[in-house]
Structures are given as C-alpha cells and as structure tokens.
Amino acid sequence: MNETLSNSELQENRAGKIPVKGQTLEELTRIISELGEKPFRAKQIYNGLYTNRYESWEEFSTIGKDLKDKLKEKFYFSSISVAKHLKSIDGTQKFTFESVPGSGKEFESVWIPSGDGGRKTICISSQVGCTLNCKFCATAKLPYQGNLKAGEIIDQILQVEKIVGDRATNIVFMGMGEPMHNYFNVMRAAELLHDGEALGMGAKRITISTSGVVNGIRRFIENKEPYNLAISLNHPDPNGRKEIMDIEEKFALPELLDAALEYTKVLKRRITFEYVMIPGVNMSGEDAKKLVKIARRLDCKINVIPLNTEFYGWRRPTDQEIDEFLRHLEPAGVPILNRRSPGKDINGACGMLAAKS
Ligand code: SAH
C-alpha cells in the first residue's frame, strides 16, 4: 500500500475517536477500565508507545486481536508525518511536519547537536503559526492555524529521534508558537516527556519559552511545573519593547518582571532571559545598562541571540557589535551565553521557522 493511501485512511478513521498518543497513564487506565479491560493493559499501551515506541497497533504483540479491535474503535493511532527534512552543513537538521498529510498545516522541529557532541537539543513547536506578531520573527509572517495536540508535540520528539537515530539530551519549546497559549497540551507533552514510565527526561533538561504571557507564567508558578522557564525579553524598556513585540501592550514589562521575580522566589530556580540582538534597536550602551539593572534584580541568566532574519532593514550584528554589547553587560554579574545560531543555511535557526524555506 502506498504511503499516501495509508495516511488518508488513517485520517478517515479519526472521526469520533481520541488520539492514543498524548494521554496520561491515569487517563488510559480509566478508558481501558471503561472498555471492561484490566488496568495493566493501559500500562502495556503506555509503555508500548513511549518505551518501545511502537508506531501501529500491529506492533503490540502482547495484545490479542479482540482487544486490538476494541482499541481501534476507541482510539486513533496517528503519527505526524515528515513533509520535508533538511540537513545543515553544521549538523543541524530541520523537520517540517504535518499532522494531516496534504493539509498545508505545517510545523517544524529542529535537531541541534552541539559542536562538541555532548549536548543534543530538539527544538519543538507548540502551535501551527503564532498569534503574537513579534516583528523580528519569521513565524509571525505565517497564518495562524491552531494549537498542536499533546500527542503531536510529543511525536515531534519520537519522529526526530527515530530519523536521526539518536536521543536528545535537552528539549526546548522554542519552535513555532507561544507555549503559554497552548498551556494544557504543552504541559501534557512535557509531562509525558518527563515521566519515567514514558520518555523519562529530567525536568531540568526541558525548557519552556514564553514571549511574556504573564497569566501563563503565573499558572506555571502556581502549578509548580518542574521545568525550566525562559522569557524572551528582547528589550529592556517598555517603549522599545512595544516597538518590536505586540505582547508588550497586553502584558507590560514591569508586570512581566514581577512574574519572573516571583518564579525565582517561589520555585527557587534561576530564570533564563532570551535577548535577540538587533543593531540600532536594542544594543545601545543605554539598553545594556537597563538590561544590567533588570538582571541584578533576580536570579537569572541571559542568552543573547544575534538576529537571524533581515526584516525592516534590520541586520545581524557584527562580531564587534556583539562583543561590545556583551562587555556592557558584564556588570550584571550573571551568566551570559552567546547562543550560536546553528542551521542558518536551512532556515532552522531561532526566528527562522516559517515552514516554506
Ligand atoms: N513564543 C515563544 C517561543 C518561541 S522561542 C517565545 O517567544 O519565547 C523563539 C526564540 O527565538 C525567542 O526567544 C525569540 O525571541 C527568538 N527569535 C525570534 N526571531 C528571531 C530572529 N529573527 N533571530 C534570532 N532570534 C529570534
């Protein structure tokens, strides 16, 4: 059977069913009990999906035909499919996925091995497109086409790891979309990623990044989510930030910084600020001074990222400009990481995820 045919069949069968990927063990156990089956079956399915990484019911050899038929009635077993796969000369690989083949609803993940081979990060998407309209980000240029389901988020990791034939050491929710606008599905995917019975990745290796959705950050704190939180700060001044990020209108910088401070105090963890460096926009001595002041207020580290796309006549900073800006930041006394931007040749770097490369 050819691939397109099997994929479209799979879609047709979805009607009225629930996705088997993306459910917690508790939920699976409840559903399995409702089907009149023993709870251990739920565990078998859960481990089959995430430990053995089965990709169809046929692979579950410990489940008999009668039960499989019942399961097929209740659940759909789908996988996101790869629409495009690009490899950078620096080892970075970009994957364009579709949940429904041919739908045009594309989202991307990036495999980013570190130069020395120790760290292997997968950057995953939480939405198809984004509603935030950050001026410097390519994703903002796409039409927004909705939230990804938890199963579609976790599947990005399963698929990427399968294709590259390796396992990630770190996962960052820094692909397309605003994770806090898809809170439920993002946290569910993170839970499956973290759960020792599922993918079993340490919480400290999972980073959720937000452009500054303050109510989402407060919810994150209240729920005591165990993952790292990163905030895309990008400008140290409310007026300047408003020029490049619409979200400043909704959640103003002082309020955002209060929430960041609360995160560090309540959860007793260091927060990460991301800062896209754009010459003429947010790299002046004055900007650096303001950023230093912010950084001194709370336990944080700063990841600076040189602008990767060229919009509105903005350009990438030169090495000299970056060095000077970093020198101005030294008085902050916090760790500052100059995030190398891998995968530029395949539009896989920060802010370049816009599917059509
Ligand atoms: N919406 C979330 C998740 C996306 S993360 C957030 O904003 O945090 C994407 C990261 O890439 C953000 O830190 C963003 O500031 C950065 N980024 C976006 N466009 C960029 C560009 N053109 N060059 C470099 N970094 C960019």
Side-chain angles (χ1 to χ4, degrees):
M1 202 190 313
N2 78 34
E3 176 125 348
T4 335
L5 192 64
S6 67
N7 276 334
S8 61
E9 274 187 353
L10 214 138
Q11 298 313 317
E12 279 161 23
N13 288 339
R14 279 186 187 185
K17 299 180 187 182
I18 53 175
V20 68
K21 283 184 200 165
Q23 314 293 334
T24 59
L25 181 55
E26 290 74 49
E27 282 165 351
L28 282 178
T29 307
R30 184 180 50 75
I31 299 167
I32 290 298
S33 308
E34 282 167 13
L35 293 176
E37 297 291 333
K38 299 236 162 59
F40 81 91
R41 293 295 188 185
K43 185 93 187 302
Q44 273 183 337
I45 298 171
Y46 195 72
N47 291 145
L49 290 173
Y50 304 111
T51 312
N52 305 325
R53 305 191 176 202
Y54 294 153
E55 296 195 322
S56 72
W57 291 118
E58 279 55 54
E59 289 182 72
F60 287 81
S61 54
T62 50
I63 298 180
K65 180 169 183 312
D66 288 354
L67 178 51
K68 264 184 201 162
D69 286 345
K70 263 193 191 174
L71 294 173
K72 286 178 190 170
E73 287 273 299
K74 186 77 189 171
F75 297 104
Y76 67 87
F77 196 121
S78 74
S79 294
I80 56 174
S81 53
V82 181
K84 200 177 200 178
H85 177 196
L86 294 170
K87 293 183 188 180
S88 162
I89 41 167
D90 64 20
T92 305
Q93 301 188 37
K94 184 168 85 165
F95 298 83
T96 305
F97 290 110
E98 279 183 304
S99 23
V100 178
S103 65
K105 284 193 181 182
E106 297 182 336
F107 50 98
E108 298 181 322
S109 314
V110 190
W111 167 264
I112 312 160
S114 73
D116 58 24
R119 198 181 169 104
K120 293 167 251 179
T121 305
I122 303 177
C123 174
I124 57 176
S125 293
S126 55
Q127 298 184 306
V128 183
C130 187
T131 58
L132 285 176
N133 196 32
C134 298
K135 296 287 181 295
F136 45 82
C137 181
T139 303
K141 306 278 176 269
L142 297 172
Y144 171 69
Q145 299 191 76
N147 282 334
L148 290 173
K149 296 195 191 79
E152 294 165 334
I153 298 174
I154 202 82
D155 218 12
Q156 294 173 55
I157 300 162
L158 298 174
Q159 302 269 340
V160 169
E161 290 188 343
K162 181 180 159 205
I163 297 169
V164 302
D166 201 352
R167 296 280 160 102
T169 59
N170 297 72
I171 301 292
V172 296
F173 286 76
M174 294 186 186
M176 288 180 173
E178 168 51 45
M180 296 300 184
H181 283 169
N182 188 12
Y183 193 96
F184 176 85
N185 287 298
V186 163
M187 295 308 161
R188 165 62 57 82
E191 189 183 336
L192 294 172
L193 180 55
H194 180 42
D195 182 7
E197 293 284 346
L199 296 185
M201 178 174 277
K204 296 283 163 299
R205 295 178 172 276
I206 302 168
T207 300
I208 317 276
S209 179
T210 177
S211 63
V213 178
V214 172
N215 52 2
I217 298 173
R218 299 234 178 251
R219 190 168 165 195
F220 190 99
I221 300 168
E222 220 163 89
N223 294 348
K224 299 194 166 41
E225 306 289 0
Y227 321 109
N228 295 318
L229 183 67
I231 293 178
S232 298
L233 188 67
N234 296 338
H235 207 293
D237 173 86
N239 291 323
R241 196 166 186 264
K242 207 182 290 177
E243 296 286 311
I244 57 172
M245 297 177 79
D246 286 1
I247 191 155
E248 180 65 25
E249 305 264 3
K250 187 152 188 214
F251 299 110
L253 193 56
E255 197 190 337
L256 173 60
L257 295 175
D258 282 349
L261 181 63
E262 191 184 325
Y263 169 89
T264 60
K265 287 203 165 145
V266 175
L267 300 184
K268 299 188 174 48
R269 276 184 244 150
R270 170 174 282 174
I271 200 155
T272 301
F273 288 124
E274 286 153 285
Y275 199 93
V276 187
M277 294 177 290
I278 316 174
V281 173
N282 63 1
M283 294 183 75
S284 70
E286 197 54 36
D287 294 328
K289 252 191 214 149
K290 287 180 184 160
L291 184 52
V292 165
K293 206 166 150 203
I294 290 173
R296 280 184 170 161
R297 270 184 68 197
L298 75 180
D299 183 15
C300 70
K301 65 174 179 181
I302 303 174
N303 285 353
V304 293
I305 319 159
L307 180 77
N308 281 314
T309 38
E310 294 180 356
F311 296 140
Y312 307 109
W314 293 337
R315 61 169 173 85
R316 195 182 164 78
T318 62
D319 287 349
Q320 202 180 353
E321 285 167 328
I322 295 174
D323 288 346
E324 191 182 327
F325 186 63
L326 293 183
R327 239 190 344 269
H328 283 136
L329 291 185
E330 272 167 23
V334 304
I336 297 172
L337 184 74
N338 182 5
R339 249 187 24 199
R340 77 197 179 94
S341 263
K344 279 205 300 296
D345 55 328
I346 54 168
N347 284 350
C350 300
M352 299 180 90
L353 300 187
K356 309 271 183 289
S357 52

